[in-house]
Amino acid sequence: MSRELMQQNIEKAQCEIDSKKSVVKNGKMRQHYHFMPQTGWLNDPNGLIYFKGKYHFFFQHNPYHGFWGSMHWGHAVSDDMLHWEYLPLALAPSEIYDNDPRGGCFSGSALEHDGKLFLMFTGTTNEGKGFEQTQCIAYSEDGIHFEKYERNPVLTAPEGIPTDLFRDPKVWKHEDTYYMVCGASRGNKGQALLYRSKDMFHWTFFNVLAESRGEWGYMWECPDFYPMGDKYVLTFSPMGAGEHTSVYLVGDFDYETGKFNCHVTGEIDWGFDYYAPQSFLAPDGRRILVAWANGWEWMPLWKDWGPTYKEGWCGSFNIPREVRMMGDGTLQFLPIAEVETIRENRKHKDELVVTEKETELTAGDGVCFELKLNIDLEKTDADKLELVLRCGEGKKTACLLDFKNAEMSVDRNEADGWSRGISRSVMYLKGKKELDVHILSDQSSLEIFTDQYQNNHSNNIFAGDAQNQLKIRAYGGRVVIRKFESYGLKECFK
């Protein structure tokens, strides 16, 4: 009966999607090349995997409304991570452990096991004792139609862990053993708990992989753990840690003891809208990272999450990024190379000298574009460089590179009437001869990458088509740009 109930709930939700998708796709704030739902709400990326010749993205989804609630798992496949085919919903609330209007099938991950595609997810419900979160399994022969394991849940919160702060399993295999890291909270401090299994169904606690001493918030959401070279990387989104939305730790890991010793810490992104990143391996060996282009910590800065809910949808993913490691153990996060396949209308200059007189630049249609600058720091004597993006009708977003104080900031207070806040980060310029800047603009987002893709800002900007001007100026001297390139970017969603 439970299998039938999930199928009935999936069919009901699919009817809702099908009845609205033709209207929703014409929304003025819809993205052009960033992944988004056909209708309704999207948050965390889930179950990212390359399976049977396709990239599979699953996602936290409320198909009924442009607000969070009653979590389902949406599903789409792609050949290039830019053009997507939407598939039937993979999971819907249907069981005592997940069938709650303020719960459902929360975040998790995917793994191929015995030729099947397995999903591990957090079931969330409230049976009168407060919210309870447990770890559950579903599986599929074809990677499209899923069945929940009849003996779910396979794991409950350990003693001392609040039952509503135990979620987001990320699973992987090493040699003949399966491992899983899960987010938790103990003593009001965030933790990543490590488990292991021989069959994917029976799990035992192994170790506390890492935990906050107070600096990284009270709960670690969406932890991920993977090797890079001879090191291991732990990422998570800490709740209650202020401006820190997505953190990475790099160190050594011992499979015999389950101990992780961290040596390097860093930020994946300093913007307001980068949260819950999850990674997977592409078939060519690249480690690809995908995140939700929003963030719970910033909800008070929005009014109803911006205007998109009025169009029947809310939420998109940031552009997928390739993770690379530098010689000092810090990480880079580069937009995937596939973006190059949607470029058009290239413009370039071998050298551009920017003065205190504001200059207008051209990049695509000014809404959907890519911009790359290489700043010659040795020839630059200005204190600051300002890029005014998505400018028009008295609105703008300002990116300021402060060379004197080695700081970068993105100000969206005048962007659109909805967005608020200035995101800031430190630029490490000492001894450097150049500074690279790479910008991806879409209808409702700006992603700005600098300093070899180690200093990044992702921010939602709900700007109209008339906000299509790009301006640049220097303060206190000249800025010499060694190379300037811009492109329009073709639409992927139609």
Side-chain angles (χ1 to χ4, degrees):
M1 181 61 186
S2 61
R3 184 186 307 179
E4 294 175 359
L5 181 58
M6 186 171 84
Q7 187 57 37
Q8 290 171 7
N9 289 344
I10 286 176
E11 291 174 0
K12 179 183 176 183
Q14 284 296 149
C15 287
E16 182 78 6
I17 293 170
D18 291 341
S19 69
K20 295 178 178 179
K21 64 183 182 182
S22 61
V23 174
V24 173
K25 73 177 183 180
N26 295 316
K28 293 182 179 180
M29 292 297 147
R30 295 284 285 178
Q31 299 277 58
H32 295 284
Y33 59 92
H34 285 76
F35 183 85
M36 58 192 163
Q38 287 176 289
T39 68
W41 167 276
L42 168 149
N43 58 285
D44 303 354
N46 296 155
L48 309 181
I49 192 170
Y50 189 81
F51 179 72
K52 292 188 176 180
K54 294 280 187 180
Y55 293 103
H56 289 249
F57 279 14
F58 300 85
F59 52 96
Q60 289 287 277
H61 187 33
N62 180 356
Y64 295 99
H65 307 288
F67 295 98
W68 182 91
S70 186
M71 285 291 98
H72 296 57
W73 274 38
H75 188 193
V77 293
S78 175
D79 294 320
D80 62 1
M81 294 179 279
L82 294 170
H83 300 84
W84 291 92
E85 174 190 357
Y86 295 101
L87 296 181
L89 298 176
L91 298 176
S94 63
E95 313 301 318
I96 191 171
Y97 54 78
D98 66 14
N99 197 3
D100 189 280
R102 299 298 295 173
C105 304
F106 278 21
S107 292
S109 53
L111 185 74
E112 186 173 355
H113 170 60
D114 288 342
K116 300 177 182 179
L117 183 57
F118 272 63
L119 306 180
M120 194 168 192
F121 66 97
T122 297
T124 300
T125 193
N126 189 338
E127 293 295 303
K129 298 180 292 184
F131 282 100
E132 297 180 82
Q133 296 179 338
T134 57
Q135 312 320 317
C136 306
I137 294 283
Y139 41 79
S140 169
E141 296 277 358
D142 60 6
I144 299 175
H145 304 93
F146 290 86
E147 177 182 343
K148 292 177 183 175
Y149 179 46
E150 62 182 8
R151 295 184 180 178
N152 278 339
V154 298
L155 191 62
T156 58
E159 186 177 351
I161 301 295
T163 59
D164 63 337
L165 296 174
F166 178 60
R167 55 180 174 265
D168 310 334
K170 176 63 186 290
V171 63
W172 73 95
K173 187 177 184 181
H174 177 74
E175 296 180 349
D176 62 348
T177 303
Y178 297 93
Y179 294 84
M180 182 263 289
V181 61
C182 195
S185 177
R186 185 186 294 272
N188 210 35
K189 295 178 181 179
Q191 288 187 325
L193 304 181
L194 183 64
Y195 292 82
R196 56 185 174 180
S197 170
K198 287 295 184 182
D199 61 3
M200 280 286 290
F201 296 107
H202 301 86
W203 294 87
T204 57
F205 175 74
F206 192 13
N207 209 341
V208 176
L209 190 63
E211 58 188 331
S212 174
R213 297 167 300 184
E215 77 278 38
W216 297 122
Y218 67 86
M219 169 65 187
W220 287 1
E221 293 201 296
C222 301
D224 195 358
F225 193 62
Y226 52 85
M228 292 219 78
D230 61 351
K231 301 296 180 182
Y232 273 80
V233 177
L234 173 66
T235 66
F236 54 88
S237 286
M239 299 180 70
E243 71 228 19
H244 307 289
T245 65
S246 298
V247 175
Y248 73 82
L249 312 179
V250 178
D252 299 305
F253 178 66
D254 185 348
Y255 273 106
E256 294 297 320
T257 63
K259 290 185 177 180
F260 173 62
N261 295 310
C262 167
H263 308 305
V264 176
T265 65
E267 305 281 342
I268 301 174
D269 198 289
W270 285 99
F272 292 107
D273 299 302
Y274 193 92
Y275 199 83
Q278 185 176 119
S279 78
F280 70 102
L281 277 179
D284 58 8
R286 289 177 297 166
R287 175 64 58 173
I288 305 298
L289 193 68
V290 182
W292 172 42
N294 261 320
W296 301 111
E297 295 283 341
W298 313 113
M299 285 181 72
L301 298 178
W302 294 92
K303 180 186 178 187
D304 299 323
W305 289 86
T308 68
Y309 79 97
K310 297 178 182 178
E311 300 179 355
W313 70 286
C314 186
S316 63
F317 288 164
N318 300 95
I319 204 72
R321 302 178 186 180
E322 179 186 353
V323 185
R324 295 181 186 175
M325 182 172 286
M326 302 283 280
D328 61 358
T330 58
L331 300 182
Q332 298 173 288
F333 304 94
L334 296 77
I336 53 171
E338 284 84 347
V339 172
E340 296 176 12
T341 67
I342 61 171
R343 288 173 173 172
E344 59 185 6
N345 301 327
R346 178 177 183 257
K347 296 183 182 299
H348 75 281
K349 291 183 179 181
D350 291 331
E351 184 174 273
L352 176 65
V353 178
V354 183
T355 66
E356 296 194 11
K357 180 181 179 181
E358 189 172 70
T359 302
E360 189 163 341
L361 301 176
T362 302
D365 62 1
V367 173
C368 188
F369 66 84
E370 181 178 13
L371 176 68
K372 301 183 79 172
L373 307 175
N374 188 286
I375 300 170
D376 189 329
L377 294 176
E378 291 185 312
K379 295 181 179 179
T380 292
D381 57 15
D383 295 329
K384 301 175 183 179
L385 175 69
E386 182 182 52
L387 288 162
V388 179
L389 308 165
R390 299 302 305 277
C391 178
E393 297 187 330
K395 300 174 183 177
K396 66 177 183 178
T397 299
C399 174
L400 189 67
L401 304 176
D402 186 335
F403 305 117
K404 188 174 182 179
N405 296 306
E407 181 182 83
M408 174 181 174
S409 63
V410 181
D411 185 343
R412 64 179 188 181
N413 282 311
E414 300 178 48
D416 51 30
W418 290 281
S419 310
R420 294 290 182 271
I422 303 174
S423 56
R424 289 187 172 88
S425 61
V426 174
M427 296 192 299
Y428 297 100
L429 302 179
K430 188 174 181 180
K432 293 185 178 179
K433 297 181 179 180
E434 60 184 44
L435 176 67
D436 51 294
V437 180
H438 187 177
I439 298 173
L440 292 174
S441 173
D442 206 341
Q443 186 71 58
S444 299
S445 65
L446 281 169
E447 292 168 276
I448 303 171
F449 306 85
T450 66
D451 201 7
Q452 296 181 285
Y453 301 94
Q454 294 191 291
N455 188 352
N456 312 312
H457 288 242
S458 297
N459 289 301
N460 289 335
I461 306 296
F462 297 109
D465 290 343
Q467 291 173 243
N468 59 3
Q469 298 173 46
L470 168 64
K471 299 178 181 181
I472 189 170
R473 67 175 296 182
Y475 292 87
R478 304 188 316 159
V479 173
V480 177
I481 297 174
R482 185 182 300 161
K483 187 177 182 181
F484 166 87
E485 285 182 279
S486 71
Y487 304 87
L489 294 174
K490 299 174 186 176
E491 185 173 5
C492 297
F493 292 86
K494 295 183 179 179

